[in-house]
Amino acid sequence: MKVIDIIKNSDKTVFSFELLPPLKGNDAGTIYRTIERLTDFDPKYINITTHRDELEFKEQPDGSIIKRVVRKRPGTVAIAASIQHRYGIPVVPHILCGGFSKSETEYVLIDLHFLGIENVLALRGDANKNPYISFSEKDEHSHADELVNQIVNLKQGIYLDRDLKNNTPLDFCIGVAGYPEKHFEAPNMEVDLAYLKQKVDAGADYIVTQMFFDNRVYYEFVKKCRAIGITVPIIPGIKPINMKNQLTVLPRIFSIDLPSDLSKELAKCKNNEDARQVGTEWAIHQSRELISNKAPSLHIYTYGISDNVREIVKAVF
Ligand SMILES: Cc1cc2nc3c(=O)[nH]c(=O)nc-3n(C[C@H](O)[C@H](O)[C@H](O)COP(=O)(O)OP(=O)(O)OC[C@H]3O[C@@H](n4cnc5c(N)ncnc54)[C@H](O)[C@@H]3O)c2cc1C
């Protein structure tokens, strides 16, 4: 089932969570155990992240540059299909611009269609930290709106190769990312919102937000989106804090603020167990308020950890 239909057909807030594919060398058992601790609470769909290869570029004495892949994290399509078929819960694999050529993306979408997967989250992907990344030799999209265009074309049976004989349309429900506290590269909120609208105008069915810890930030964001004509559902992203160092790590990595009440509580924590308790209570409070304000769905970032997510969904659903 498509996420947009799940949301439209539900008269109350639904819940979903985001999982990472297992690290190479591990099996899917850990992911299954995470899901099984949450299935009692009837998650309506599950997101599976995608990660580009991590590259290292080394400058040689003659000035030339050698590229090496230092970490791979495959498995999104396989894990997504296995989850959907094992549990009967729709999945939303993430599809990235960065690190994938347009042709590789087309193949992935064909495979997802074969596997009965009807949802994708279209993202540019985290920028590669390496300064030489502009030496990309792949024919990849630069921004998520271009990726949305490619997926929308496939809905109409328009493939990259226009002379293709079997051009079966591939119909996907498309989600995109939005940033209530602005994407860190955007010069200002207005510009960021204009690009978000571009993704929606290209054919995105809904938006999922970056994590935020102050619901007022989300309400304000929704208001700004509506003011510029974005009408699609905007799903709030909730991250249950579970480690003390996230007090400084999350703002640095995700360019977000922690409200002072939360940061003071975390600063008082003696260890990760204390921080986990503070983070869980905060997420419960945030979720309850979002539900009472009729958020369409909650997207919970699990990072593979289910105990705190279980406590949250048990308390609020
Ligand atoms: C819910 C969610 C899930 C995520 N999952 C993953 C994941 O699985 N794997 C992963 O690697 N990363 C993931 N990310 C992180 C995401 O890939 C990064 O935040 C990335 O830096 C931006 O992705 P985007 O799709 O928002 O990019 P874009 O929409 O392309 O925006 C990126 C920046 O470019 C600007 N911009 C947008 N369109 C244009 C344009 N046409 N021309 C010029 N500028 C433009 C925007 O204002 C913004 O500053 C996720 C983020 C969220 C919120």
Side-chain angles (χ1 to χ4, degrees):
M1 194 169 188
K2 291 185 173 152
V3 168
I4 193 69
D5 295 327
I6 294 171
I7 292 172
K8 281 186 181 156
N9 295 338
S10 178
D11 51 6
K12 51 183 191 190
T13 306
V14 299
F15 119 82
S16 67
F17 55 93
E18 179 178 298
L19 294 170
L20 278 68
L23 285 172
K24 197 157 54 67
N26 293 340
D27 62 25
T30 329
I31 265 201
Y32 294 152
R33 281 189 288 281
T34 304
I35 295 170
E36 281 155 19
R37 289 188 54 70
L38 298 171
T39 44
D40 318 352
F41 303 102
D42 194 23
K44 294 294 185 206
Y45 56 98
I46 299 173
N47 281 63
I48 317 291
T49 61
T50 294
H51 303 271
R52 67 182 296 160
D53 290 348
E54 222 172 279
L55 304 175
E56 196 177 78
F57 292 81
K58 279 224 160 133
E59 198 162 350
Q60 303 302 294
D62 66 358
S64 64
I65 289 158
I66 291 183
K67 179 186 93 173
R68 279 203 297 244
V69 176
V70 289
R71 190 169 291 134
K72 285 187 182 226
R73 199 159 184 170
T76 301
V77 172
I79 288 290
S82 129
I83 291 172
Q84 183 161 301
H85 292 281
R86 194 177 168 114
Y87 300 102
I89 302 173
V91 287
V92 186
H94 296 187
I95 306 286
L96 307 184
C97 304
F100 299 88
S101 70
K102 293 169 194 164
S103 172
E104 285 167 338
T105 297
E106 189 170 277
Y107 274 110
V108 164
L109 293 164
I110 293 168
D111 283 349
L112 293 175
H113 180 75
F114 278 140
L115 292 162
I117 293 171
E118 298 176 283
N119 299 288
V120 290
L121 190 68
L123 300 147
R124 186 193 65 182
D126 288 327
N128 196 303
K129 293 159 202 102
N130 200 287
Y132 296 115
I133 195 58
S134 54
F135 290 24
S136 169
E137 73 273 30
K138 285 207 174 185
D139 168 31
E140 56 190 44
H141 296 295
S142 310
H143 284 286
D145 61 321
E146 296 170 17
L147 178 56
V148 173
N149 275 322
Q150 183 181 4
I151 305 168
V152 168
N153 277 344
L154 285 170
K155 281 192 193 202
Q156 296 151 20
I158 304 169
Y159 285 70
L160 294 171
D161 188 344
R162 302 288 164 119
D163 297 326
L164 209 64
K165 289 209 171 98
N166 181 355
N167 53 0
T168 314
L170 309 180
D171 190 11
F172 290 100
C173 168
I174 308 167
V176 289
Y179 301 83
E181 293 173 76
K182 188 180 86 58
H183 185 263
F184 70 100
E185 291 165 27
N188 56 55
M189 194 65 180
E190 207 182 332
V191 169
D192 206 24
L193 284 170
Y195 283 128
L196 178 59
K197 182 154 190 309
Q198 208 161 294
K199 293 194 272 194
V200 174
D201 290 345
D205 296 287
Y206 67 94
I207 296 164
V208 188
T209 78
Q210 180 57 279
M211 64 184 74
F212 58 87
F213 293 89
D214 181 344
N215 286 352
R216 286 172 303 180
V217 167
Y218 166 76
Y219 302 137
E220 197 51 35
F221 176 67
V222 174
K223 217 193 280 174
K224 285 182 184 150
C225 288
R226 301 301 179 228
I228 60 162
I230 296 175
T231 57
V232 296
I234 301 176
I235 298 172
I238 300 290
K239 157 78 182 122
I241 285 182
N242 60 337
M243 285 197 268
K244 187 166 158 89
N245 71 357
Q246 288 171 348
L247 176 63
T248 51
V249 169
L250 295 179
R252 179 164 50 81
I253 296 186
F254 297 104
S255 242
I256 45 131
D257 275 0
L258 299 191
S260 50
D261 285 356
L262 175 60
S263 67
K264 277 184 205 150
E265 285 304 309
L266 285 171
K268 279 193 250 160
C269 292
K270 293 196 178 62
N271 49 41
N272 283 342
E273 183 43 42
D274 290 353
R276 196 191 82 96
Q277 206 167 334
V278 168
T280 303
E281 278 164 20
W282 192 270
I284 290 174
H285 170 74
Q286 262 195 292
S287 303
R288 281 196 176 129
E289 205 202 82
L290 289 163
I291 292 170
S292 71
N293 281 299
K294 305 203 172 359
S297 173
L298 299 185
H299 174 102
I300 305 185
Y301 293 97
T302 67
Y303 293 93
I305 295 160
S306 57
D307 286 358
N308 50 356
V309 180
R310 194 179 154 83
E311 271 178 62
I312 295 160
V313 291
K314 192 171 172 191
V316 303
F317 284 101

